[in-house]
Amino acid sequence: MGQFGGPLLLPADTPDPAHPFVASIDLAALPADATDLPLPPDGQLLLFAFPEDDGDGDTMGSVVYIPLGTAVAERDKHAWNSFDWDDYEAMFAEFPEGPLRATANVSLPHHKSVIQPGMPWGGPHPGHPRSEELVAVWESTRADIAPEGPLQIGGYADEEAIDTDPVAVGVSRAVKAAEAGRWDGPVSDDVSDWVLLADWLAGMDVQGWESATVHWVIQREDLAARRFDRAFTSVFWNP
């Protein structure tokens, strides 16, 4: 269904991405109804990310959709590192390379808290007093039912130490970035207007970033309009 790494092939009018190239997804190779997303039936979806939170709430990656039949040319995969920082190149060298194979698995929400005004670390789910117990049951059985892989398309977001919904965290950062003029609007602050496009458990492969997880989130209306350029990328990292 795609591959980690490989040559970076982009249309001539697409600017060099500002973040490292992670993977390409062949949408035509995804099994029918394998995700909960209204993805295009064909074409390539390219994922880019830097697996670290910059602390300012800016997007840490991007998504490029290339429709089937679009002319592409190979680009420099290192163009994002314009300052040639050695430690970043060493990190990029750890990115996985190789084929991606699709497996359909169960995906369930398993966050224990929700972000609420005045509670920066989240509070209990309103109306769900046993949410922590349910999450504990799922976490104790998940490995036998739906073992996690390095890359997930759609479903519910996951990360090493999940507490609040990673999609909600991404939405909060997108809203703040838009308010600060660092992200183009309109941006909804209603989490239900957003979906998880993809998760990458970067820490499985990238040494020094062992707990890092990248989340690409997108507004439903942007997904329907195939405005993948408006996907926002957030990162969980507990160094």
Side-chain angles (χ1 to χ4, degrees), residues 181-197:
R182 301 192 305 268
W183 186 254
D184 292 336
V187 175
S188 172
D189 61 0
D190 186 344
V191 178
S192 66
D193 289 336
W194 295 72
V195 293
L196 176 74
L197 180 60

Side-chain angles (χ1 to χ4, degrees), residues 17 32 38 42 46 62 88 106 118 146 163 173 193 217 235:
D42 50 37
L46 275 56
S62 62
Y88 285 173
V106 175
D163 183 32
R173 292 178 181 175
D193 289 336
V217 299
V235 176

Side-chain angles (χ1 to χ4, degrees), residues 3 7 10 26-27 42 60-61 71 73 77 99 120 147 151 181 188 191 211 217:
Q3 69 175 28
L10 291 170
D26 180 0
L27 295 175
D42 50 37
M60 297 306 295
K77 291 171 59 173
L151 186 70
S188 172
V191 178
S211 67
V217 299

Side-chain angles (χ1 to χ4, degrees), residues 102-125:
T103 301
N105 270 334
V106 175
S107 179
L108 294 177
H110 54 289
H111 52 279
K112 301 182 280 290
S113 305
V114 293
I115 297 175
Q116 298 178 18
M119 301 180 68
W121 302 109
H125 276 278

